[in-house]
Amino acid sequence: MEYRIEHDSMGEMKVPADSYWGAQTQRSYQNFQIGTEKMPAEIIRAFAILKKAAAIANFRLGKLDQQRCDLIAKVCDEILEGKLAGNFPLAVWQTGSGTQSNMNVNEVIANRGNEITGEKLLHPNDTVNMSQSSNDTFPTAMHIAAIMTLENNLLPAVHAMIAELKRLEVENEGIVKSGRTHLQDAVPIAFSQEISGWRSMLENCADMICDSEKGLRKLALGGTAVGTGLNAPKGFAEEAARAVSELTLDEFVTDDNKFHALSAKDAIVYSHGALKALAADLLKIANDVRWLASGPRCGLGEIYIPENEPGSSIMPGKVNPTQCEAVTMVAVQVMGNDAAIGIAASQGNFQLNVFMPVIIYNYLQSVRLLTDALESFRKNCVSGIKANKEKMSANLHNSLMLVTALNPYIGYENAAKTAKLAHKENISLKEACVRLGFLTSEKFDEVFHPETMI
């Protein structure tokens, strides 16, 4: 491999000749050979947006000339277009402030910009990082990346699933089945009502995610090293947030307390709590679906789901609820991520939290997994759910909990005696009720209508 010599404040470093990064990136690359997890692409894109926004703000405030501003913007656009992919090799497991990833982006922008012009117009620290610190840029990139992935990926996936469930509600109107509580038979429910519960869960989760975005729209940019704004011109924070909003076509504002913005990660914790709620609800929905589809002969068998793959390497003809299993595994991973994020966010010592890379890595993984799982579950399972009307009807009319309909006529205790006798003697509720003398056969038929119990 061919190398070139780059230098930083600690001296010279050999850097691959075909890479745009510089000495500080190379030091981090060599010193943190930990794991396979790299800084997420969403963070790199967020950095490109904020570096372009910072250059625009510096230009508007008279700190940066037009040529350098345009040059930085041009390289940032190349990053956003994916033209410089492969130049951001750093591990998640690096300095907890994300300093080295900030410098990675600074060096790539400077070296690529200087290559474009053939002049040394850009310096990683003095020009690209002007009015900034890693301590305010990394949390800013975290919030930009979070908002963009929520708005562009996760929320559309949630709403697509909601629309699918609404369709299923309409399709299954009028079908009455046995309800279940504690995994035991309960009073009847309409299948459309059961589906509406799933749909409402996702609607509530979408609302919670949107509510959590308020904190994520506050940016740390302008706080520089410790929150005081040292070396940033007056008005930079506001101008930079305005530029980020213009570039993303979304709403961002400057955090009114930069000491909070640098040291606390509560907005991410709060937002991931909404993601955990979504994971919990998806786990419940997926479990409901696989329970209802269990069988085909020895389970509940109340719904059919698409048969996508052979389910066993030894049992011919077996088909498993694989999409449900994938969703539940994703849910467990998100819950684990929530624990990691909460612990990491509690470590904001004095003026800076130094667990930021692991926080945003886990946050973005949760968003990515939930988005993909929702899409896969919707397309490969939920869209193909069909009611087994015959099995639903059989289970409904075989349920002892239909006796609840008799409470107003014979009382709770007599209804309980009726159910227990029917269960013990393996006879119908009607036979038990008449044998015990609580109702005549004619009166039982008059008041006992399971389909009206919903």
Side-chain angles (χ1 to χ4, degrees):
M1 180 181 289
E2 295 184 2
Y3 294 92
R4 70 177 190 279
I5 301 299
E6 290 270 346
H7 76 276
D8 58 14
S9 60
M10 295 185 70
E12 294 184 341
M13 287 291 295
K14 291 170 64 177
V15 175
D18 60 351
S19 299
Y20 287 111
W21 69 71
Q24 291 194 54
T25 302
Q26 188 65 31
R27 291 184 195 279
S28 179
Y29 183 72
Q30 293 176 191
N31 292 338
F32 295 97
Q33 296 289 323
I34 304 173
T36 59
E37 297 82 7
K38 302 302 181 184
M39 193 58 64
E42 297 94 334
I43 283 291
I44 302 303
R45 289 194 292 271
F47 260 114
I49 291 168
L50 81 85
K51 293 296 176 182
K52 184 175 179 178
I56 292 170
N58 281 317
F59 169 70
R60 290 173 178 172
L61 295 170
K63 289 271 292 180
L64 191 66
D65 62 77
Q66 182 78 67
Q67 184 182 13
R68 288 176 172 81
C69 176
D70 291 346
L71 189 55
I72 291 172
K74 180 178 178 61
V75 180
C76 289
D77 288 341
E78 289 187 352
I79 294 173
L80 292 170
E81 293 164 6
K83 294 180 178 179
L84 300 180
N87 282 280
F88 308 99
L90 299 188
V92 169
W93 320 107
Q94 54 168 278
T95 177
S97 61
T99 297
Q100 289 140 5
S101 281
N102 178 46
M103 285 308 304
N104 180 196
V105 176
N106 288 337
E107 289 177 340
V108 169
I109 292 173
N111 285 332
R112 172 57 181 152
N114 291 337
E115 178 185 66
I116 291 171
T117 62
E119 301 178 67
K120 292 282 187 178
L121 294 179
L122 303 181
H123 186 279
N125 300 83
D126 296 335
T127 320
V128 185
N129 202 57
M130 181 183 288
S131 307
Q132 306 154 62
S133 163
S134 298
N135 297 351
D136 66 352
T137 58
F138 201 89
T140 295
M142 291 170 69
H143 282 203
I144 294 171
I147 287 290
M148 293 185 70
T149 54
L150 292 179
E151 288 291 316
N152 298 333
N153 302 322
L154 182 57
L155 285 170
V158 173
H159 288 300
M161 181 66 88
I162 290 169
E164 192 67 57
L165 292 173
K166 285 182 177 178
R167 181 191 64 78
L168 282 177
E169 281 182 71
V170 173
E171 185 179 290
N172 290 282
E173 284 181 359
I175 301 175
V176 181
K177 62 186 289 292
S178 179
R180 294 179 178 85
T181 58
H182 302 269
L183 295 181
Q184 305 296 307
D185 302 344
V187 295
I189 185 174
F191 187 35
S192 59
Q193 291 174 327
E194 189 166 38
I195 296 168
S196 78
W198 302 339
R199 184 251 308 155
S200 188
M201 288 176 197
L202 298 185
E203 289 173 339
N204 286 333
C205 286
D207 288 343
M208 287 187 283
I209 292 169
C210 290
D211 288 343
S212 79
E213 289 184 338
K214 181 179 178 181
L216 297 175
R217 296 183 184 280
K218 297 179 180 180
L219 303 183
L221 205 56
T224 65
V226 295
T228 61
L230 179 67
N231 290 346
K234 184 178 180 179
F236 175 79
E238 294 76 13
E239 198 63 57
R242 187 177 301 114
V244 170
S245 299
E246 293 168 357
L247 295 173
T248 59
L249 301 179
D250 214 323
E251 181 185 359
F252 289 93
V253 296
T254 188
D255 196 310
D256 58 7
N257 191 310
K258 300 299 187 296
F259 308 106
H260 160 264
L262 270 61
S263 61
K265 296 293 157 276
D266 43 19
I268 290 282
V269 172
Y270 181 64
S271 182
H272 198 275
L275 302 184
K276 181 173 69 171
L278 174 59
D281 282 344
L282 283 175
L283 196 151
K284 180 263 191 294
I285 293 168
N287 275 337
D288 282 358
V289 169
R290 63 176 169 177
W291 271 108
L292 291 172
S294 62
R297 292 188 174 179
C298 300
L300 295 180
E302 291 192 344
I303 63 172
Y304 302 108
I305 58 175
E307 298 182 348
N308 297 323
E309 314 95 14
S312 173
S313 61
I314 189 173
M315 292 176 279
K318 196 172 192 297
V319 180
N320 296 328
T322 52
Q323 289 294 318
C324 298
E325 291 164 7
V327 170
T328 55
M329 286 192 288
V330 163
V332 168
Q333 181 64 53
V334 172
M335 292 173 187
N337 287 349
D338 192 74
I341 288 171
I343 294 169
S346 73
Q347 302 301 305
N349 297 323
F350 303 115
Q351 279 68 61
L352 187 67
N353 177 289
V354 291
F355 284 70
M356 289 190 285
V358 70
I359 289 173
I360 196 59
Y361 176 82
N362 281 287
Y363 183 95
L364 292 173
Q365 185 192 58
S366 291
V367 175
R368 197 179 308 115
L369 288 175
L370 288 168
T371 300
D372 292 347
L374 275 162
E375 285 293 277
S376 181
F377 191 39
R378 177 178 63 83
K379 294 176 181 177
N380 299 312
C381 182
V382 175
S383 65
I385 289 176
K386 300 294 180 185
N388 184 342
K389 297 178 184 179
E390 294 76 16
K391 190 64 179 289
M392 285 184 177
S393 179
N395 287 343
L396 172 67
H397 288 88
N398 196 41
S399 171
L400 295 175
M401 288 307 98
L402 296 179
V403 77
T404 307
L406 302 179
N407 285 2
Y409 305 98
I410 65 175
Y412 181 93
E413 291 190 14
N414 286 339
K417 291 177 183 177
T418 299
K420 289 179 180 179
L421 179 62
H423 182 54
K424 181 180 179 181
E425 300 290 334
N426 194 28
I427 59 177
S428 70
L429 289 172
K430 180 178 179 179
E431 289 177 89
C433 189
V434 172
R435 184 188 296 183
L436 290 168
F438 297 143
L439 290 174
T440 66
S441 178
E442 293 75 20
K443 185 63 176 179
F444 186 94
D445 290 339
E446 179 185 333
V447 300
F448 189 76
H449 299 287
E451 285 77 9
T452 67
M453 293 175 66
I454 61 173

